[in-house]
Amino acid sequence: MAAASALLVAGCTSSSAQSDAEAAGATAGMLPSSHIHGVAIDPADGRLLLATHDGLFEVGDGGESTHIGPVIDLMGFAVRGPGHFLASGHPGPDVDLPEPVGLIESTDGGRTWEPRSRQGESDFHALTVSDAGVLGYDGSLVRSADGDEWEQLLIPAAPATLAAAPDGRTILATTEQGLLSSVDGGSSWVGNDGAPLLQVVDWADDGMNVAGVDPSGSVWTSSDAAVTWQPGPRLGSPPQAVAATSSAGGSLRIAVVTTAALMESHDGGLTFDVVLGE
């Protein structure tokens, strides 16, 4: 109930503030109008990033979303390091990239993108990166240690999201059959029988904490590398994406995009505040 009330407050902006934000290429307090495929936290500065049908958006401290870089339908998006991103999808108008774009890379915070591999071949709807390399799903599961040379793998069901632990050995995949786990970098998979049915999932950078959201919008967390799960609050709307990171002090930060809002928790998923609303 508290989340619903916060959403109503967050969605109220004055017309003058709204027009000023629009003039600056930003939308104050509101989600981007295009569909959101992913959310991430840039380790460079802790800023929230939204990967959308119209490209990348950065969420400012004042609750505004600002478009960054070219218009690319970012179907898959992953953070490799500070200001260093990998993505996949489709080029927008006047963007000189193949269709589909394959694996593309940005080393300047998403302002520019360069082709890496599989141009004209792959549209990764699920994409994750770790110290071991890249794992993506474009109708087939493929893995690359360097982002250039790929090998095909098998997975029992199509993943909606893929999430790799920082070392790349343990992978989680959300599927209609339930959560799948791999302990060999995606070479083999088993059902995670103790897990809830999750729609989206992400590892924190400490390698132990995991956050996920089920189709109803309920948050689930694990502090033991996805072995056991604890229920959290219901966010009131189905999820579109989730991101998790751990601070130096050990607290777990979780960002969730639902169909109605971008919400964030700084206390391990116990409570959430609305950052952007409809």
Side-chain angles (χ1 to χ4, degrees):
M1 190 62 94
S5 299
L7 176 58
L8 291 175
V9 172
C12 296
T13 57
S14 69
S15 59
S16 60
Q18 184 67 21
S19 60
D20 290 344
E22 289 174 348
T27 303
M30 297 179 65
L31 288 171
S33 58
S34 59
H35 181 74
I36 297 171
H37 301 302
V39 62
I41 301 168
D42 189 348
D45 52 16
R47 290 289 179 96
L48 291 172
L49 302 168
L50 300 175
T52 81
H53 178 75
D54 291 330
L56 190 63
F57 286 77
E58 180 183 74
V59 181
D61 295 334
E64 73 281 353
S65 59
T66 304
H67 188 266
I68 300 172
V71 175
I72 303 172
D73 186 1
L74 299 173
M75 298 297 300
F77 183 83
V79 174
R80 187 153 210 169
H84 187 179
F85 313 141
L86 299 176
S88 189
H90 309 278
D94 302 321
V95 173
D96 187 20
L97 288 171
E99 166 59 45
V101 301
L103 184 71
I104 56 176
E105 183 176 35
S106 175
T107 57
D108 59 4
R111 286 159 182 81
T112 61
W113 293 87
E114 296 295 332
R116 187 64 185 269
S117 62
R118 301 179 75 90
Q119 276 66 59
E121 180 182 357
S122 287
D123 169 20
F124 292 119
H125 284 212
L127 186 68
T128 188
V129 64
S130 68
D131 292 343
V134 187
L135 193 69
Y137 186 79
D138 61 355
S140 297
L141 186 68
V142 291
R143 179 175 62 192
S144 175
D146 57 9
D148 297 319
E149 301 295 328
W150 299 81
E151 61 177 319
Q152 187 167 328
L153 306 172
L154 297 177
I155 189 168
T161 59
L162 294 165
D167 63 10
R169 289 195 295 268
T170 305
I171 313 290
L172 300 176
T174 60
T175 78
E176 291 183 351
Q177 297 180 10
L179 188 68
L180 300 178
S181 297
S182 173
V183 295
D184 52 15
S187 295
S188 63
W189 298 85
V190 296
N192 189 318
D193 296 332
L197 178 65
L198 298 175
Q199 186 164 325
V200 293
V201 69
D202 193 37
W203 286 85
D205 46 5
D206 59 11
M208 293 299 294
N209 282 290
V210 186
V213 189
D214 68 24
S216 73
S218 293
V219 176
W220 294 81
T221 56
S222 173
S223 59
D224 55 9
V227 176
T228 61
W229 295 83
Q230 294 75 46
R234 296 190 65 176
L235 302 183
S237 301
Q240 299 185 76
V242 64
T245 188
S246 54
S247 68
S251 61
L252 180 64
R253 179 185 178 191
I254 305 171
V256 179
V257 177
T258 72
T259 54
L262 167 62
M263 308 183 77
E264 189 174 21
S265 172
H266 289 271
D267 57 10
L270 297 176
T271 62
F272 279 80
D273 296 320
V274 172
V275 179
L276 300 174
E278 287 184 317

